[in-house]
Amino acid sequence: MLTSMMEYATNHVGNPVDEECELENKLAYFEYKDEIVQIFEVYGQGTDSWFLKPSDDTVYKLNNTAYGVYLNQFDDFINYTKNKDNESKKVSYGTTILNDIAGGYTVGRGSK
């Protein structure tokens, strides 16, 4: 789930730079019911992800400065995930119908 949350944050608002980390990493911030969590994804000889409560200074920056652009709403992430799953099911269902119609054969353009 943390990987999906990081992908969502990366695609929707980008990731702030973590100047304190020596390894290549990504950060994301999510808010749910007035609580904020900070997600880390660190790359080295593998990938490790974890979350924690951000420092008071970071929470202040998220709530009172332009840094707040990096704050994602957890509810938005959940809705996005549900919609993405529904779209995936529609495509899968449409492919099944097409296979049934074509008798399981692949039909290319210009085929007779």
Side-chain angles (χ1 to χ4, degrees):
M1 183 162 173
L2 292 179
T3 301
S4 295
M5 292 172 75
M6 187 61 71
E7 286 176 14
Y8 174 85
T10 301
N11 293 333
H12 287 83
V13 299
N15 303 99
V17 174
D18 181 10
E19 297 170 356
E20 297 176 14
C21 188
E22 297 174 11
L23 301 172
E24 180 182 346
N25 70 2
K26 289 184 181 178
L27 290 174
Y29 299 97
F30 282 86
E31 182 176 34
Y32 180 71
K33 295 185 179 180
D34 296 328
E35 290 293 326
I36 297 175
V37 294
Q38 181 176 12
I39 300 174
F40 290 90
E41 193 169 81
V42 178
Y43 308 95
Q45 292 183 337
T47 303
D48 195 11
S49 299
W50 68 93
F51 68 94
L52 55 84
K53 188 170 176 138
S55 68
D56 290 340
D57 183 49
T58 300
V59 171
Y60 177 83
K61 288 193 315 188
L62 288 166
N63 288 324
N64 298 299
T65 70
Y67 196 74
V69 71
Y70 294 113
L71 186 59
N72 296 282
Q73 297 301 314
F74 186 72
D75 290 334
D76 293 344
F77 163 72
I78 293 298
N79 290 332
Y80 171 81
T81 303
K82 285 181 183 177
N83 290 336
K84 190 174 171 184
D85 286 347
N86 287 337
E87 288 300 316
S88 174
K89 288 176 186 174
K90 286 179 187 175
V91 169
S92 175
Y93 180 69
T95 302
T96 302
I97 291 172
L98 183 59
N99 284 339
D100 289 346
I101 292 170
Y105 296 103
T106 304
V107 179
R109 287 188 176 198
S111 296
K112 295 181 181 181

